[in-house]
Amino acid sequence: MDDLDRKLNDTFPGYVVRKDLVKQVRGNAAVPSYVLEFLLGQNCATDDEEQIKLGIERVKDILAKHYVQRAEAGAIRSDIKQTGFQRVIDKVSVVLNEKRDAYEATFENLGISRVLVDSDTVKNNRRLLVSGVWCIADLSYSPNEAKDESPYLLQKLKPIQMSRFDFESYAEKRSVFTMDEWIDVLIRSIGLDPAQMGKRSKFFQLTRLVAYCERNYNLMELGPKGTGKSHVYSEFSPHGILISGGEVTPAKLFVNNSTGRIGLVGYWDCVAFDEFAGKNKRPKADIVDIMKNYMANKSFSRGIEQVTAEASMVFVGNTSHDIAYMINFSDLFEDLPTVYHDPAFIDRIHAYIPGWEMDIIRGDMFSSDFGFIVDYLAEALRHTRALDYSGLYRDHFEISDTLSTRDKDGILKTFSGLMKIIFPNKKATREEIAEILEFCLEMRKRVKDSLYRIDETFSRVQFAYRPIEGGSWVNIETLEEIDFPTTYHARDLVPIDGDQAKDAINTIDESSKDPILQEATVDLTAVPAIKETNLFEGHKAFRENQRGVSFDTLFSNYLKGARHIEIIDPYIRTFHQCRNLMELLEVALRNFDYKAPSLKVHLVTGSDDYDAKKQHDYLNQIAEAMAPQGLDFTYEIDTSGSIHARHLKIDDSWDILLDRGLDIFQKFDSGNAFAIENRMPEMRRVRQFEITYLKK
């Protein structure tokens, strides 16, 4: 275990489990992950490997003996009749039969109903009356002649989901962890490895959970296939339901007029629509109208009554084009069915998760560390649905008054949800609140910017915040706005006027001059050297997941005609770090003046504590490859551990400060010769980093 595993086990004993154990025990049992993790938490909540092995065997034995497969239900019913007793694992729901003045249970997989349940069992497990609960039940058989009575008798029923939850203890123990540690715990609890993603990607993952802790939250996520969009809505919580195909009738979703029974929005905290996108889909207009009213007002009308409900709505689907196409030729909602590609519907979306920023799920992205039993975390989120954290920013910041009511609703609901998830104890610093608030503003701005393209009746607003004591406004940009500065607003139907137009023109003009933002789409060796006076001097910050950044765009113009380069980076050790170094040297070669005797490059780096020999091998291979090209590469290994600052020093002209060194790219499949990221570095996503150009 690492330090975080140990801290988690010490702080939440009995409520954590190693996440790779679920696959080991699932087999062919169609049991939700939260049920399996509950059983594992009862038997494997330890760091002792022998105890874990024994616990896995116990869980497998329990499932093999007692889990009811639908195909074997008839045989199990026969066994109960023949032997008179059987213990089963099944999903049980209970209804009150007023005519009999009794509670009756239905066993979903076993296929039996009207089994009498005593009042104390129902009183202690009220969720039996709502959405049903997975249970271990002891059933016996006693034949009778009554038509309205079941021959099956319930002897004992034990829920195998969380039956009680202590929120005060949960919130208090949260204080043991830093913000980054707690976020990593949550990502591990979902089942993913936080080491494989940056903070922005982690925020996207946590935004998927907001629907479980915020009432009437409307979330949209569209993106490529295979990014895990629907996972948390099918496996994470017993309080959410995933509707496959994205289509449902008004009677099933809202209320059945013939019976008067309320639909899914009355029984679930979160209703998610999978495969919601698709222009060829033709949902009925009546459900669209009811849904728009419900998303805006938390109520709907079917028949003569107005009905309210609290279920959040999540819409996930696949995009048919990449982000460049959508920005340049359509909008971010282009793949929705025609009746949903409606400004009235889109304006009700509180946040839009850009699915194109999410990585395709790979095998190495799953966590094998400890995380919360998901049912425990699901109960923590459900408990906070009745709480409001939306005002926690007001002691420090204010948001722009130009925002519409729906803009503010979207921002504050997302903010409240993320604060509940990350800071259930409300103990966040000013800087941490600002970070979350900026993210929430961007999530809603993505929706509003699309509306500017679709409907000219919308008015321009300012997505910005500032300290309550005054000062300058912090304007928020989406990552797409940064990646496509000259075309992002090109198709807007809402005109940009006044100062906004001036700012937009200045942004475009500056970006066309700025060598940092220009894409390296030409042969740089054929471009005349740019005068030193035109080179950018100052500070640049790059967002996580941003594209269009490469060593060419960052350094080419500063390396033209260079004679001596010194690279100071303590982390040129592993293969991918040495590969980054090689790519930088390639840029230096393309800008080398071959009339000069040679180009000297010297590296100062730290020692690889795990495999120093391999590090030397990589660096020697680089030196051998560069020597015939006139590039004299040398290196030294600093063993003192005293170098921390990362620089790129070019002759006596420039000192370029790199807060992350050369390790700016996110992980990609470097072994795949056909991966576009291998052939075109500017197509890679970057980590968040900053760079400062200082002229000597």
Side-chain angles (χ1 to χ4, degrees), residues 574-618:
T574 64
F575 172 78
H576 82 276
Q577 292 165 345
C578 292
R579 180 205 64 212
N580 289 340
L581 171 63
M582 184 70 177
E583 291 186 358
L584 175 61
L585 297 183
E586 290 171 3
V587 175
L589 272 180
R590 286 198 290 272
N591 290 277
F592 175 48
D593 182 356
Y594 284 94
K595 296 177 182 179
S598 67
L599 170 60
K600 297 183 181 296
V601 180
H602 183 67
L603 168 70
V604 181
T605 188
S607 176
D608 189 340
D609 297 331
Y610 298 98
D611 197 340
K613 181 180 181 303
K614 186 168 286 187
Q615 179 189 20
H616 281 279
D617 289 343
Y618 291 148

Side-chain angles (χ1 to χ4, degrees), residues 192 196-197 201 205 208 221 223-229 318-319 354-366 545 547 666-669 677 685:
L192 299 175
Q196 300 285 340
M197 58 184 75
S201 296
Q205 294 288 349
R208 290 172 171 173
E221 180 177 358
K225 299 176 182 177
T227 56
K229 293 186 288 292
N318 299 325
T319 52
W356 49 89
E357 288 193 45
M358 308 295 281
D359 286 326
I360 304 296
I361 298 298
R362 309 181 304 270
D364 63 343
M365 293 179 66
F366 295 104
N545 290 341
R547 296 182 190 267
Q666 295 186 28
K667 186 176 181 180
F668 61 93
D669 188 0
E677 294 87 352
R685 292 178 185 157

Side-chain angles (χ1 to χ4, degrees), residues 23 40 214 404 459 519 535 545 585 620 627:
K23 291 183 180 179
L40 287 168
E214 274 294 307
S404 70
S459 301
E519 293 187 6
L535 295 181
N545 290 341
L585 297 183
N620 288 332

Side-chain angles (χ1 to χ4, degrees), residues 320-418:
S320 55
H321 296 105
D322 62 12
I323 181 60
Y325 179 93
M326 289 187 283
I327 292 297
N328 292 320
F329 300 104
S330 59
D331 60 78
L332 303 185
F333 294 89
E334 66 153 354
D335 285 298
L336 295 186
T338 304
V339 292
Y340 286 114
H341 196 268
D342 173 12
F345 172 79
I346 293 172
D347 197 25
R348 287 159 168 79
I349 300 297
H350 294 133
Y352 186 123
I353 296 178
W356 49 89
E357 288 193 45
M358 308 295 281
D359 286 326
I360 304 296
I361 298 298
R362 309 181 304 270
D364 63 343
M365 293 179 66
F366 295 104
S367 176
S368 58
D369 296 305
F370 281 85
F372 285 126
I373 299 168
V374 288
D375 199 33
Y376 178 74
L377 181 55
E379 289 304 309
L381 299 183
R382 188 166 204 255
H383 182 90
T384 61
R385 284 179 73 83
L387 307 178
D388 182 14
Y389 285 32
S390 63
L392 293 181
Y393 76 94
R394 293 195 178 101
D395 290 338
H396 304 285
F397 305 105
E398 62 176 326
I399 58 177
S400 173
D401 290 334
T402 66
L403 293 168
S404 70
T405 300
R406 284 183 177 160
D407 291 330
K408 291 179 180 178
D409 285 346
I411 294 163
L412 297 186
K413 275 183 168 291
T414 307
F415 177 80
S416 177
L418 288 176

Side-chain angles (χ1 to χ4, degrees), residues 24-25 47 168 190 349 406 473 507-508 527 663 680 688:
Q24 296 184 38
V25 301
D47 59 347
E168 286 70 26
I190 296 173
I349 300 297
R406 284 183 177 160
W473 289 96
T507 299
I508 293 173
V527 178
D663 200 1
M680 300 176 65
Q688 182 174 334

